Amino acid sequence: MPILEVNNIKKTFESNKILKGISFSMEKGQVISIIGSSGSGKTTLLRCLNFLERPDEGTIAVHGETIFDATLPEDNAETLREKRLHFGMVFQQFNLFPQYTALENVALAPKLLASTESNDEIEQRALVLLEQMGLGNRIDKYPHQLSGGQQQRVAIARALALKPDILCFDEPTSALDPELTGEVLRVIRELADKHTTMIIVTHEMAFARDVADEVLFMDNGIVLEKGPAEQVINNPREERTRKFLSSLN
């Protein structure tokens, strides 16, 4: 059974049709990269999956259970929070709380959820996650004391702290200087090696080819092409995909 099934997701803002019927599925431990030009709908799709936007049509199922159906009434705030826990989101701009240290940023959400874990247990798990991100010596630093790459790694640890079924990345290196990009991509590669289920919106084509199991090329609100990562990146079937990839060289 797929861990995620997305069926016919559509989203319109005013009269602008951003998503025109997106469907795909993925298995546990799989990595999917989503590529495409700016404005093709990639970020809107991630925001719909994370319930940051409500799709106008379609369904979303996790572990075979439908958690979104556009034909049903909107969920209340508590139900929405529970559904969001299926997904961890790592944003372009980090979105760390500036008044909290790295450790506090990672531990905050699990504490707020009134978990069965004690605060000490939550902080210990946050510490382990930060150590896995190579930040064991930066736990007491505030975001302004960290490089962009370090801030993004804190953001990844924060997303992992809630133990999501699927980890989503929205252009995780786009706000970074080139010399800091490698450290974030290395962490994501390590997560892929551990069979973390991930959806990665990225403009790093070589990274997408090497890390993803499958690549979706989005164009004008639809999935124009999808397939094994190496095939889509190195030998795309669609002329539009070829033009997009050649424009990056």
Side-chain angles (χ1 to χ4, degrees):
M1 177 187 297
I3 191 172
L4 175 66
E5 296 171 276
V6 177
N7 183 50
N8 197 37
I9 291 294
K10 297 181 181 180
K11 181 65 180 177
T12 298
F13 293 103
E14 295 180 350
S15 60
N16 191 9
K17 295 181 179 179
I18 304 298
L19 301 178
K20 301 176 181 178
I22 303 293
S23 299
F24 69 94
S25 64
M26 65 187 304
E27 303 295 329
K28 183 176 174 60
Q30 187 179 19
V31 178
I32 287 180
S33 282
I34 303 177
I35 64 173
S37 301
S38 179
S40 60
K42 307 183 302 296
T43 294
T44 299
L45 174 59
L46 281 193
R47 290 180 64 84
C48 286
L49 292 178
N50 284 271
F51 299 98
L52 298 173
E53 302 286 354
R54 178 180 167 86
D56 302 317
E57 295 183 37
T59 62
I60 300 169
V62 175
H63 293 302
E65 176 189 354
T66 298
I67 63 170
F68 174 79
D69 185 336
T71 65
L72 299 178
E74 292 190 33
D75 293 313
N76 61 40
E78 183 177 350
T79 302
L80 203 56
R81 280 195 297 271
E82 291 176 1
K83 291 182 176 182
R84 282 180 179 147
L85 293 176
H86 290 292
F87 299 90
M89 185 74 164
V90 180
F91 299 90
Q92 295 181 29
Q93 300 293 337
F94 325 136
N95 289 2
L96 299 178
F97 293 105
Q99 71 272 35
Y100 296 133
T101 65
L103 184 65
E104 289 168 340
N105 262 282
V106 175
L108 179 62
K111 288 181 179 179
L112 291 176
L113 285 171
S115 166
T116 55
E117 294 177 288
S118 68
N119 283 351
D120 286 345
E121 289 172 326
I122 290 171
E123 290 185 3
Q124 182 59 38
R125 189 156 53 81
L127 177 59
V128 169
L129 286 169
L130 286 168
E131 288 174 344
Q132 290 174 356
M133 298 295 124
L135 296 171
N137 62 342
R138 312 295 286 173
I139 63 170
D140 294 326
K141 302 298 181 183
Y142 291 89
H144 75 274
Q145 297 173 307
L146 302 172
S147 71
Q150 290 170 338
Q151 289 184 62
Q152 191 60 297
R153 283 184 280 156
V154 173
I156 294 171
R158 179 179 61 181
L160 288 169
L162 292 174
K163 303 177 184 178
D165 294 302
I166 301 158
L167 192 57
C168 299
F169 294 85
D170 185 15
E171 298 279 12
T173 61
S174 66
L176 301 179
D177 294 331
E179 63 267 25
L180 300 177
T181 294
E183 64 188 57
V184 172
L185 295 182
R186 184 167 56 251
V187 165
I188 300 173
R189 192 184 302 273
E190 290 171 356
L191 292 172
D193 290 341
K194 296 175 182 176
H195 305 291
T196 306
T197 309
M198 294 185 285
I199 300 173
I200 308 169
V201 170
T202 184
H203 61 278
E204 301 280 350
M205 294 303 112
F207 176 74
R209 181 193 61 217
D210 296 342
V211 171
D213 301 295
E214 187 173 50
V215 165
L216 277 58
F217 172 63
M218 287 186 63
D219 183 56
N220 195 28
I222 66 170
V223 176
L224 186 62
E225 181 167 356
K226 62 181 175 180
E230 189 166 343
Q231 177 262 305
V232 173
I233 301 294
N234 291 346
N235 189 29
R237 296 185 301 270
E238 299 289 337
E239 177 64 22
R240 180 68 187 90
T241 315
R242 288 194 288 272
K243 285 184 178 179
F244 167 74
L245 292 169
S246 65
S247 73
L248 301 176
N249 298 328

